[in-house]
Structure formats: C-alpha cells, structure tokens
Amino acid sequence: MKGSGLKTLAVDIGGSGTKIMVLDEAGQPQTERARVDTPQPATPTNIIAAIAQLIPSQGEFDRVSVGFPGVVRRGIIGTAVNLDPSWVDFDLGTALAEKLGKPVRVANDADVQGMGAISGKGVELVITLGTGFGSALFVDGRLVPNLELGHHPFRKGETYEEQLGRAALDKIGAKRWNRRLEKAIASLKHLFNYDHLHIGGGETKRIAFDLPSDASIVPNVLGLLGGIALWRDQ
Ligand code: BGC
C-alpha cells in the first residue's frame, strides 16, 4: 500500500467540473483524480450527490478538504456567483460531514490552490483563471482571508471576472483575452507589489505571452493537492 497515516479526500468544486482525489499525510496523491461535470442546476443537493457518486472510485479516507468557488467562513458559504444562489448561507462543512461521516474542512478554491503553490516567503498573490477569476493573498505563508479580486472593478466598467472569466474568453477569443490578462497582471503588480504571482486554473493553458519574471503558472492539480494544508494545524 502506498503512503501512510491519515488519508485526506480532497475535493475541488468548480463552476464547470468537480474533482476529487485522495492524498496521504504528506499531501501526495494516492488515487487517480476523478472528475464529473458540475451538475446543473448547481445546487448544494446536486453537487453533494455528485461528490458522493465519485467517492467509490477513491477507496478509504479519514477526513475531507474542500475547495469551494466562493467566500467561505467556518464551513459556511458566503457567496457562490457561478453556482446556484441557494448556496448562500449553506453550511457545507456540516452537510458533507453528515453525508460522509468524516470530518470536513472547507475553504475558498483559490485559497486552497494557493496553499499548494506558495513558497511561504514574502508577499505572494495567487490568481486562478477558470469559470471565475479566483484570488488569494499570502504574506510569509499566512493567508489574508476573503480576497475577492474577481468582483473588483478592473477596466471599462467591468470586473476582473467579467473581463477575464471563461464567459469573456469564449466571447472575445484567446488573443484579446491574453491582451487583457497582460494588463491585469500589470495592474495587480502596481496594487500589491507582490514578490511573486502564481497563476492557476484550467485556462492557464491559453496563456500565449511571456510572463514577467516574478510570475509563473502553477499546475491546476494544486487545487486538490493544496487541500492537505487545511489540516496542517492538527
Ligand atoms: C468567486 C471566488 C472564486 C473564483 C474562482 C469567483 O467568482 O467569487 O470566490 O475563488 O470565482 O472559482
């Protein structure tokens, strides 16, 4: 048997896909990632059922980490703009713990991605490019909670997510989207003066320009692997 100690089921709930994978105590993958299209309507009931359906492919686990595409406070959902509105105020931590019979910790998806990506030194900004535009800020490895750049004004009266989310990419095409992304990176550098910018999410594969030396693309699987960090204080 591979790995040892407590096994963590990492879950990444996304606007278009929901993925799961089991990690060992060191955060190493123990199973093949399983994925399902996020069901529509993307309600709590439907998404929890979709996660439960994927679970038999993953074997045993002791605890669960979830990355969720919205603001999360103590397991309770604050916002979920790319899912069904019925998520707001839903206690996902408790509902999933009851369904799976295991302890559950829930965090914002970009925060989880960032926990997997950062070096822990200086100011590190994380953005994710997927259905939505995710963001997370870390100072010497400590998360500054609830940063929601995606819904902050960027240019032409539109937010970062309106300009750079998947709907915009589909509408304007990769060339213009890349030009916008270059502008966004320049704007974020002026705002945060970060030491490093980590760029994650499924649409990083569309990036077609040379990134500045203080920015890099991180693998999307960190949205699952970063889930181990939610248990690090245990
Ligand atoms: C949400 C963020 C999330 C991002 C990526 C945004 O619409 O507001 O909380 O991290 O999408 O999923």
Side-chain angles (χ1 to χ4, degrees):
M1 202 175 89
K2 283 197 287 175
S4 62
L6 291 176
K7 294 211 181 336
T8 303
L9 179 77
V11 181
D12 184 10
I13 299 175
S16 44
T18 293
K19 301 143 213 161
I20 70 173
M21 174 191 259
V22 173
L23 311 175
D24 72 5
E25 231 167 310
Q28 293 300 315
Q30 299 300 296
T31 55
E32 287 285 321
R33 188 193 80 152
R35 180 194 184 279
V36 67
D37 283 346
T38 299
Q40 299 299 331
T43 57
T45 312
N46 287 348
I47 290 185
I48 289 173
I51 294 168
Q53 267 183 17
L54 287 178
I55 281 178
S57 67
Q58 300 291 303
E60 297 294 308
F61 57 91
D62 305 290
R63 58 193 185 183
V64 184
S65 293
V66 185
F68 182 87
V71 174
V72 183
R73 291 186 198 84
R74 290 171 291 282
I76 299 171
I77 304 309
T79 66
V81 297
N82 293 308
L83 301 175
D84 191 81
S86 58
W87 277 98
V88 175
D89 295 333
F90 184 76
D91 187 345
L92 176 59
T94 302
L96 210 53
E98 276 168 10
K99 175 93 181 171
L100 304 180
K102 309 278 183 201
V104 175
R105 292 190 177 179
V106 189
N108 171 265
D109 55 357
D111 293 355
V112 173
Q113 178 103 24
M115 287 168 198
I118 56 168
S119 71
K121 289 192 208 98
V123 176
E124 292 176 87
L125 182 68
V126 180
I127 59 171
T128 66
L129 305 169
T131 308
F133 182 102
S135 56
L137 181 65
F138 295 84
V139 182
D140 290 334
R142 284 202 54 165
L143 176 70
V144 178
N146 303 342
L147 182 73
E148 281 282 323
L149 272 177
H151 306 293
H152 193 74
F154 168 37
R155 61 193 282 272
K156 307 215 164 174
E158 290 193 335
T159 63
Y160 284 88
E161 183 158 310
E162 285 166 335
Q163 285 259 307
L164 288 162
R166 187 167 295 123
L169 172 60
D170 290 345
K171 188 166 152 217
I172 64 170
K175 204 166 164 190
R176 282 179 64 200
W177 180 85
N178 268 278
R179 282 207 295 270
R180 285 183 182 180
L181 182 59
E182 276 199 89
K183 289 188 182 126
I185 292 172
S187 157
L188 295 173
K189 178 69 188 183
H190 283 302
L191 179 59
F192 290 98
N193 292 294
Y194 49 72
D195 294 298
H196 200 83
L197 172 68
H198 304 273
I199 310 175
E203 299 301 358
T204 50
K205 60 179 183 290
R206 311 291 283 269
I207 296 178
F209 58 92
D210 289 335
L211 292 171
S213 58
D214 57 2
S216 53
I217 295 174
V218 297
N220 203 26
V221 71
L222 294 180
L224 288 164
L225 300 184
I228 199 67
L230 301 184
W231 296 93
R232 262 190 206 138
D233 57 344
Q234 286 281 294

